[in-house]
Amino acid sequence: MQKFTGLCKPAALALLPLCGALSFMPATAQTPPPAAPVVKYDLTYDIISPVYAKNGMVATEQELATKVGVDILKKGGNAIDAGVAVGFALAVVLPNAGNIGGGGFMMIHDAKTGKNVALDFREMAPQRATRNMYLDDKGNVVPGRSLYTHLAVGVPGTVAGLTHALSKYGTMKLSQVIQPAIELAEKGYPVSPSLALILAAEREHLGQWDSSKAIFFKDGRPLQAGEMLVQKDLAKSMRLIAKQGAKAFYDGAIAKKIVAEMDKHGGLITADDLKNYKVVERVPVTGNYRGYEVMSMPPPSSGGVHIIQMMNILERYPLKQYGADSAQTIHLMAETMKLAYADRSEYLGDPDFTKVPVKGLTSRAYADELAKKINPDRATPSSEIKPGQPQPYESDQTTHFSVADKDGNLVATTYTLNLNFGSGIVATGTGITLNNEMDDFSAKPGVPNAFGLVGGDANAVGPYKRPLSSMSPTFVLKDGKPFLVTGSPGGSRIITTTLQEILNVIDHDMNVAEATITPRIHHQWAPDQLRVEKGLSADTIKILQDKGQKVSVQPSMGRTQTIQIKPDGFYGFSDPRNPDGRTIGF
Ligand code: DON
């Protein structure tokens, strides 16, 4: 891919002839004034360019939330202040995924200390949760029970996570960063066409509950594009949080309402469950890929472990030489993904309950062993792949946003209600939509969850346990300095989407916009199916099929929000797979 580096680059491609013309202007007889310092922009007008800014950047799935974050940066807040403000704002303006009734993970790079923190505010199973709670008398999974009932709801972690991040790593007051969200909820905003589509698709789930209909419906049907979504109760709940902090949610007026909602409808969450909820600061899982340091979310997410495991395998292949969307690169990625997801099904779970062999799975020696199983010319059927033997144990809806500030602080957050609008249940009187994260547990060994993922003992339901996740907020550092911050929603496809975003930049020399628009692929071992996005050529698909890959063309996978940090500034891009996403810098 040809890159134009130099003084004239920020001009659009069409202006390049003008740049050439200027450089051939005849010299005058006078001595020229001393040259002004030349700023060298590394803008590249390849196929598509990222957003550029000098002082800081925010990339989210909703423009209003991006603006909230940029405003905080402009007022002197750091990336964590902005990240927390965005987290609350998305709960209002991206109500299908942004949340305070769900949970997630935030990766923080603290520039002052150089410390990297993996903040775990994943939902937790209530104390009364039991291994077989989603099975009927005959031992079969009851359809929908782990998704659209009060039993689907895990104890939410978002409020604890965001307030913890702010008080430990931020500089502003909670009341300051939450204020824009309160105003957006209070005054309302027009529903976008994408949100209208999602509301229509979720009509049945939301429509079951008066508390949900009161907010998201008008005249007995879901709100349509252009109509105002006003969330007075949510504004009230957020005002309480602004005044009293997380206590309002876990041991105050909001907690009381959540428990009343559970009691009324056979849910399990108690006042004690809420009081006992804890944020956990974990050590990021790290690896090295072609000289770059990659760090991502450790268990209870499977994301970081498998991104690094896959990179360890893929590093031995000359992917750059094969090309980004060649059948050879895709085949090798697919074979690698199968091996990783087979291990996911066996070994990954909440590390506070199950020993997860993180070191073994991410070791180079194990990658060498796994790579021997890959035939570069033939697909190995999933039925012939079993979870491997890592070294012994050492003692559609989520959203991602990325923030980078001028001091080098980074925030990568992926948080979720699980599916669009989670359980569809708004806790009466709170305006808070509750998650259905309990479905991320393995309800029964071998029975797939909503993302077709299977699991066993390591991810069985248990009291106070956190369900296994795929969410992968990720940083890439180069020589200890921030290089890339990225992540994505997309259920089981989050891990492979994040992997490909990084490979496209490191291996294929793409800018972050190109890295994002390139068609993605995904294989998760079970089912034995290589999913590819529209856009891959017919002959590439044919070569893959000839190698034995079972190719299935899918509409779209993942929605990344990525910022690359270069010496001259920030280069960011919001995945156009969601037209509402927006990256803004200043
Ligand atoms: O934690 C997980 O892996 C899932 N609950 C994420 C769900 C998701 O990404 C849905 N979105 N598109």
Side-chain angles (χ1 to χ4, degrees), residues 112-157:
K112 227 186 279 155
T113 58
K115 195 174 157 192
N116 296 291
V117 181
L119 207 63
D120 168 0
F121 54 96
R122 180 74 161 164
E123 297 89 335
M124 195 180 72
Q127 198 265 330
R128 290 186 287 168
T130 54
R131 191 180 181 99
N132 295 332
M133 63 189 277
Y134 300 114
L135 307 186
D136 64 15
D137 299 345
K138 297 199 181 84
N140 297 320
V141 173
V142 181
R145 187 182 283 176
S146 65
L147 287 170
Y148 300 113
T149 69
H150 287 70
L151 293 175
V153 186
V155 181

Side-chain angles (χ1 to χ4, degrees), residues 105 122 344 396-399 414 416-420 437 440 451 453 467-471 488-494 559:
F105 304 119
R122 180 74 161 164
R344 184 189 190 280
D396 243 26
Q397 212 64 16
T398 302
T399 190
T414 317
T416 187
L417 291 166
N418 193 26
L419 302 189
N420 272 320
E437 218 69 60
D440 275 348
F451 297 102
L453 290 167
L468 181 60
S469 173
S470 300
M471 294 188 287
S488 176
S492 56
R493 290 144 309 192
I494 292 173
R559 298 188 302 276

